[in-house]
Amino acid sequence: MSLSPDQYQLRKLMIVAILASLAVVLGIIEALIPFTVTIPGAKLGLGNIVVLTCLICLGGRDAFLLIFIKTLITSFILGSFSTFIFSVFGAVSSFIIMYMMVRFGSKLFSLMMTSVMGGIVHNLGQLLAASIVLGTTKIFYYLPFLLLAGIATGLFVGAASKYLIGSLHRLQMFEASNSRS
């Protein structure tokens, strides 16, 4: 059954809304996990599994919309304005590098490499935001620890995304949305 352009756009928006809801719920669950590490601020990035999956399966525009919704809602529920600023810097920085890698280097970069770079650049974006808010560059002494955290979480997010993407491609509804992106 062929969908009209309006029906197709509505279906795609519905999928993005569901993915955004899932990303927010994963962010809330992650906040409840007593994940104590020696690197303050390091998180697993469970919501980023959904973001990377959306980028691969639906494309850049939908993934950017997902990031905006996820960041806005999660910051309202769990954080403050400074949390929102740090999240926006990290999320947009991460999105830009992952989008470029997927769009222009999909033959060169694996999903795992794209995810690792996304994790690293996310941390760089957050450090940049902290540097601006705090008015100092001394915060960049923290960079080596965040690079390690970005690599570790990027590997985790990449592996989980690979599994999720494989599962979603078996769904007829998702295939209909993916075939037009």
Side-chain angles (χ1 to χ4, degrees):
M1 177 172 140
S2 180
L3 295 175
S4 71
D6 290 340
Q7 289 174 319
Y8 170 73
Q9 290 300 325
L10 180 61
R11 176 178 280 188
K12 203 166 183 183
L13 183 61
M14 178 189 69
I15 291 171
V16 171
I18 291 168
L19 291 176
S21 300
L22 178 59
V24 169
V25 168
L26 287 172
I28 292 168
I29 289 170
E30 181 176 18
L32 298 173
I33 297 172
F35 184 66
T36 56
V37 294
T38 58
I39 305 171
K43 298 187 303 181
L44 291 173
L46 297 177
N48 296 328
I49 296 166
V50 181
V51 171
L52 183 57
T53 300
C54 184
L55 177 61
I56 298 298
C57 295
L58 297 178
R61 186 178 321 151
D62 294 317
F64 191 77
L65 176 61
L66 171 67
I67 287 170
F68 177 75
I69 294 168
K70 170 190 167 284
T71 303
L72 190 64
I73 293 173
T74 305
S75 294
F76 279 146
I77 293 172
L78 299 173
S80 61
F81 183 70
S82 61
T83 303
F84 175 72
I85 295 297
F86 294 159
S87 296
V88 165
F89 268 72
V92 170
S93 301
S94 177
F95 171 77
I96 290 169
I97 192 68
M98 291 191 307
Y99 176 78
M100 302 277 280
M101 290 174 79
V102 168
R103 175 94 164 121
F104 302 111
S106 62
K107 302 277 190 234
L108 298 171
F109 305 111
S110 69
L111 181 65
M112 295 297 279
M113 177 56 83
T114 302
S115 180
V116 166
M117 286 302 297
I120 290 170
V121 173
H122 187 277
N123 289 338
L124 287 171
Q126 288 189 325
L127 274 179
L128 179 61
S131 175
I132 292 168
V133 168
L134 298 173
T136 181
T137 58
K138 290 182 180 179
I139 193 83
F140 284 97
Y141 289 119
Y142 195 44
L143 181 61
F145 303 107
L146 287 179
L147 290 177
L148 290 174
I151 291 168
T153 59
L155 289 171
F156 171 75
V157 167
S161 297
K162 185 175 182 176
Y163 178 78
L164 181 57
I165 290 166
S167 296
L168 288 176
H169 280 299
R170 291 190 291 256
L171 298 176
Q172 182 181 8
M173 180 180 83
F174 208 86
E175 277 299 317
S177 296
N178 189 30
S179 65
R180 290 195 182 197
S181 49

